[in-house]
Amino acid sequence: MKVLLVALLLCTSSILLFAQTDSLRSQPKNGIVYRIKTDGILTIKTIAQTYSRPFHWKKKEWLLFSGAIGVSAASTLLDEPLYDYTKNNKTPFLNDLASVGDFLGQPENNYPFMIALWGSGVIANNDWLRDTGIMLFASVTTSGLIQTASKELVGRARPATDVGPYAFKPFGGVGYHSFPSGHTMLSVATSWILARQVNWLPGKIVFFTLPVIVGGSRIYDGAHWFSDIVLGSALGIACAEAVVKIYPKLKESALNQRLSIVPTPSGFSLSYKL
């Protein structure tokens, strides 16, 4: 199992390195401290604006949100049948696959990867790595806080408690942290960003497939109902898409503030503030 997980991480790293070679471009030679400071500010602004995004939704966004809630509600009809099926069809291969899904969905495994990705970009002054790391951190952090609060407030019983999918106890402890699936939200918020950042089709397929493994593992392990997975996926996509739209604009705005046109005796010149 450990060999499989290491191979998966190496495969992911190879995809990223291959996929981003066409995205390299020279950047101003600012110091590492400066890059860390500016990236930190952009990350905080991205997270803040992602949270405020619903206040700026238009009719289309509210229709999509309503649709996601409707699909999640309808998917509750499959909660017990799917849980019963997985409970009665355990195999060694599926046990191993569920372990992979659990590994991929844990924050303690995702954050070191994201920080290493971003840190490599800071050291190498690689814009693609820095951008990807910032968007991953903002997407996962935003979705993580949402799912943590939702679990406590909703208090839906996990399948393993054997009290059914319609039992609720807000602030009832870990056994009532089923809705939504945090592992699924995190994996979707991560993979969606990575898939949007790469231009290599096989890489996109891999990144879109990984959350399916994570979500399936949560049902298989009795940690979540199918409807928890559906809504967790929708929320993860919403957070990632918001970050993908917000971050480039914030970065461009910050860059424009450092660029200015200065009048000279012979005309105008472009000034860049370090």
Side-chain angles (χ1 to χ4, degrees):
M1 177 53 58
K2 289 183 178 180
V3 174
L4 178 60
L5 294 177
V6 170
L8 183 62
L9 288 176
L10 289 174
C11 178
T12 302
S13 300
S14 299
I15 290 173
L16 288 172
L17 288 173
F18 177 84
Q20 62 91 29
T21 51
D22 293 335
S23 301
L24 298 179
R25 61 178 186 268
S26 60
Q27 298 296 315
K29 299 296 183 179
N30 296 316
I32 290 179
V33 174
Y34 179 85
R35 294 172 211 157
I36 293 174
K37 183 185 74 171
T38 54
D39 288 358
I41 294 172
L42 283 173
T43 301
I44 293 172
K45 288 183 176 180
T46 302
I47 292 173
Q49 290 198 22
T50 300
Y51 279 125
S52 66
R53 188 80 175 177
F55 294 106
H56 305 284
W57 281 357
K58 293 180 171 41
K59 183 178 179 179
K60 178 182 177 181
E61 284 79 11
W62 283 112
L63 286 174
L64 288 172
F65 176 75
S66 300
I69 296 297
V71 171
S72 299
S75 66
T76 59
L77 298 174
L78 298 174
D79 282 343
E80 289 185 288
L82 284 176
Y83 173 61
D84 291 339
Y85 179 82
T86 57
K87 186 170 62 174
N88 297 321
N89 291 275
K90 304 287 186 182
T91 68
F93 171 74
L94 290 177
N95 290 340
D96 290 341
L97 195 61
S99 296
V100 173
D102 180 63
F103 177 87
L104 292 173
Q106 292 180 4
E108 56 267 33
N109 296 325
N110 277 264
Y111 273 100
F113 167 73
M114 292 183 293
I115 293 173
L117 191 71
W118 167 77
S120 299
V122 170
I123 294 172
N125 199 24
N126 183 316
D127 201 48
W128 187 91
L129 291 173
R130 288 171 63 191
D131 289 345
T132 304
I134 290 171
M135 286 192 288
L136 283 173
F137 191 90
S139 178
V140 169
T141 300
T142 304
S143 61
L145 293 175
I146 291 174
Q147 63 90 12
T148 299
S150 299
K151 284 182 177 181
E152 289 289 351
L153 294 173
V154 176
R156 190 185 195 189
R158 293 184 186 273
T161 60
D162 290 327
V163 294
Y166 304 109
F168 297 88
K169 185 190 293 185
F171 305 100
V174 177
Y176 289 83
H177 281 178
S178 187
F179 186 83
S181 169
H183 278 60
T184 303
M185 277 188 70
L186 185 148
S187 63
V188 170
T190 300
S191 294
W192 197 268
I193 295 290
L194 293 173
R196 291 293 298 268
Q197 281 291 95
V198 301
N199 297 317
W200 190 41
L201 182 58
K204 288 182 179 291
I205 293 173
V206 169
F207 291 132
F208 282 133
T209 301
L210 292 179
V212 177
I213 298 174
V214 175
S217 74
R218 304 311 286 159
I219 299 173
Y220 186 86
D221 289 337
H224 291 284
W225 303 101
F226 176 64
S227 54
D228 300 330
I229 307 303
V230 173
L231 187 62
S233 299
L235 291 173
I237 292 172
C239 290
E241 272 298 300
V243 168
V244 167
K245 293 177 181 178
I246 290 169
Y247 172 73
K249 294 180 180 179
L250 288 174
K251 182 183 176 184
E252 182 180 1
S253 176
L255 181 62
N256 289 338
Q257 290 176 5
R258 296 166 62 193
L259 288 171
S260 60
I261 298 176
V262 180
T264 65
S266 59
F268 296 91
S269 66
L270 193 64
S271 174
Y272 183 83
K273 296 180 181 180
L274 297 177

